[in-house]
Amino acid sequence: MAVLVTGGAGYIGSHTVMALLEKGKDVIIVDNLVKGHEFAIKGNKFYCGDLRDGEFLDKVFKENEIEEIVHFAAYSLVGESMKDPIGYFNNNVGGTISLLNCMKKHGVKNIVFSSTAAVYGEPRNIPILEDDDTTPTNPYGESKLAIEKLLKWASDAGDINYIALRYFNAAGAYESGTLGEYHNPETHLIPIVLETALGKRDKMIIFGDDYDTPDGTCIRDYIHVMDLATAHLLALDKLNRDGKSGVYNLGNGLGFSVNEVINKAKEITGRDIPVEMGDRRVGDPAILIASSEKAQKELGWEPKFNDLDKIIEDAWKWSKFLFNKLDQK
Ligand code: UFG
């Protein structure tokens, strides 16, 4: 019996595959490698293809005894989604519909879904709770929210059981430093800070220092990618145990400002990180911090790597490894 991981060659997907393999699970990966990377494929079996291709997906289900699903495959760049909302809905929602059809056809019930804090939009309360308002401010978040709604209706109809995990700011890398985050172009803060430390960028831009926060820069809840990975295993366990569908935030409950991240990275890398102050980036809320009490209580999830040092140390190991490899090419 196997776990199917869609998008298993992506950032959070590949780290979750590692966690599943460490638990002795048989892992099948489906990824179209549009955003994922060959170097990140770690499962026992890999299929290259698009979820929207029903015939292809049906073949994957026919050739394997799939027992449960962890569904990451999606486009996930906020800025890109603003420029291509149709493409984002087509890929993210369309891929999920095709996957759910196949699950129903083959009698697979349990699915853990990769959702996001972007479903909340501009938060009214900090820390953010799962039943707070969901009013996304970009098509990426809206597409994820649409999928959550679809999952709910499919669960109410008795077709599936699901757990949607709303990640806050995924960061860090696999402890060995040989697997981590790689987006092209990169838009996320910590990899950009570290690329600057490595001299791959002359400088980085801080997107605004006039927010209503202690140092004027935005505050985010950074959560180690391996802590996120563990939560997926716990969610699968819970679905197998009680089949109860639900939605959970995953964050540390701690906020760090952009300036704090840069200063911590200077300390850890021992390098200079030239910065320039820029304008606000459209759609950035001042503060995003999760309450993950529900995940702690109901999934038994406890973030292990909940200090910023560890997150940046692991990301730094990975950045050096990655650019070493890229430079050799
Ligand atoms: N930032 C900079 N300079 C940069 C990059 C980022 O100042 O070069 C700032 C951003 O303005 C923001 C913070 O660093 O204040 C974090 O930015 P990221 O792009 O790393 O992350 P976001 O908080 O924008 O995005 C995260 C997830 C998204 C999700 C979103 C929810 O990565 O997938 O939270 O709002 F949609």
Side-chain angles (χ1 to χ4, degrees):
M1 298 299 255
V3 188
L4 171 64
V5 181
T6 76
Y11 173 39
I12 306 171
S14 60
H15 288 75
T16 301
V17 167
M18 292 301 282
L20 288 163
L21 293 174
E22 283 167 10
K23 279 269 169 208
K25 296 263 192 181
D26 189 13
V27 179
I28 317 286
I29 295 175
V30 167
D31 199 301
N32 61 9
L33 296 182
V34 169
K35 303 279 182 186
H37 307 288
E38 230 161 298
F39 72 75
I41 301 168
K42 306 288 179 190
N44 311 75
K45 211 169 175 185
F46 170 65
Y47 289 87
C48 187
D50 197 298
L51 293 186
R52 289 165 295 180
D53 180 348
E55 251 173 61
F56 157 76
L57 202 55
D58 196 47
K59 181 170 172 281
V60 176
F61 275 77
K62 276 194 184 131
E63 287 181 2
N64 299 282
E65 273 193 66
I66 293 167
E67 192 183 20
E68 51 200 353
I69 318 273
V70 188
H71 177 34
F72 295 97
Y75 293 159
S76 63
L77 298 179
V78 171
E80 193 178 72
S81 79
M82 298 292 278
K83 293 191 192 120
D84 184 20
I86 300 171
Y88 263 66
F89 273 79
N90 187 336
N91 186 54
N92 295 359
V93 181
T96 307
I97 291 173
S98 176
L99 177 64
L100 292 174
N101 273 331
C102 226
M103 285 176 66
K104 192 169 174 183
K105 179 171 168 197
H106 292 271
V108 179
K109 280 259 169 194
N110 293 346
I111 177 167
V112 175
F113 172 59
S114 162
S115 191
T116 170
V119 299
Y120 293 110
E122 186 75 45
R124 288 232 193 116
N125 309 305
I126 297 290
I128 301 171
L129 292 165
E130 286 81 352
D131 52 10
D132 284 354
D133 282 357
T134 47
T135 43
T137 51
N138 55 66
Y140 163 62
E142 196 77 72
S143 73
K144 290 282 182 173
L145 185 60
I147 296 167
E148 282 194 11
K149 289 182 177 170
L150 168 59
L151 293 173
K152 185 189 171 291
W153 288 111
S155 156
D156 287 353
D159 290 335
I160 57 157
N161 307 313
Y162 78 95
I163 287 182
L165 300 175
R166 294 174 175 167
Y167 320 138
F168 280 64
N169 287 62
Y174 198 62
E175 271 197 292
S176 66
T178 55
L179 181 64
E181 181 170 17
Y182 180 42
H183 301 106
N184 195 7
E186 189 51 77
T187 63
H188 294 109
L189 178 66
I190 291 178
I192 286 177
V193 168
L194 298 178
E195 282 174 21
T196 314
L198 278 172
K200 300 293 163 193
R201 295 170 186 254
D202 299 339
K203 59 173 186 220
M204 58 161 296
I205 315 284
I206 296 178
F207 297 142
D209 65 349
D210 57 351
Y211 285 95
D212 188 14
T213 60
D215 68 20
T217 64
C218 288
I219 292 179
R220 293 290 180 271
D221 181 338
Y222 295 92
I223 176 81
H224 196 291
V225 65
M226 288 313 293
D227 280 329
L228 290 182
T230 306
H232 295 77
L233 273 67
L234 293 169
L236 286 174
D237 286 349
K238 179 157 189 310
L239 287 174
N240 285 316
R241 212 166 47 237
D242 64 16
K244 263 202 194 151
S245 295
V247 172
Y248 297 88
N249 285 342
L250 297 178
N252 274 315
L254 293 171
F256 293 96
S257 72
V258 173
N259 275 335
E260 284 174 319
V261 169
I262 295 169
N263 288 335
K264 182 58 78 181
K266 279 186 188 163
E267 196 184 302
I268 286 169
T269 63
R271 309 266 181 114
D272 188 25
I273 303 176
V275 299
E276 190 181 295
M277 200 50 66
D279 293 336
R280 289 183 176 198
R281 187 170 67 177
V282 179
D284 274 345
I287 305 178
L288 287 176
I289 299 175
S291 161
S292 303
E293 256 177 52
K294 188 178 169 197
Q296 298 191 13
K297 219 188 275 165
E298 295 183 18
L299 302 178
W301 181 65
E302 195 69 58
K304 247 171 61 189
F305 309 114
N306 55 1
D307 67 302
L308 190 61
D309 291 66
K310 172 71 179 157
I311 289 174
I312 296 180
E313 274 161 24
D314 286 348
W316 178 231
K317 256 194 265 176
W318 161 247
S319 289
K320 285 187 288 186
F321 176 85
L322 172 70
F323 282 98
N324 210 357
K325 264 181 121 178
L326 292 176
D327 289 345
Q328 281 166 15
K329 275 193 180 170

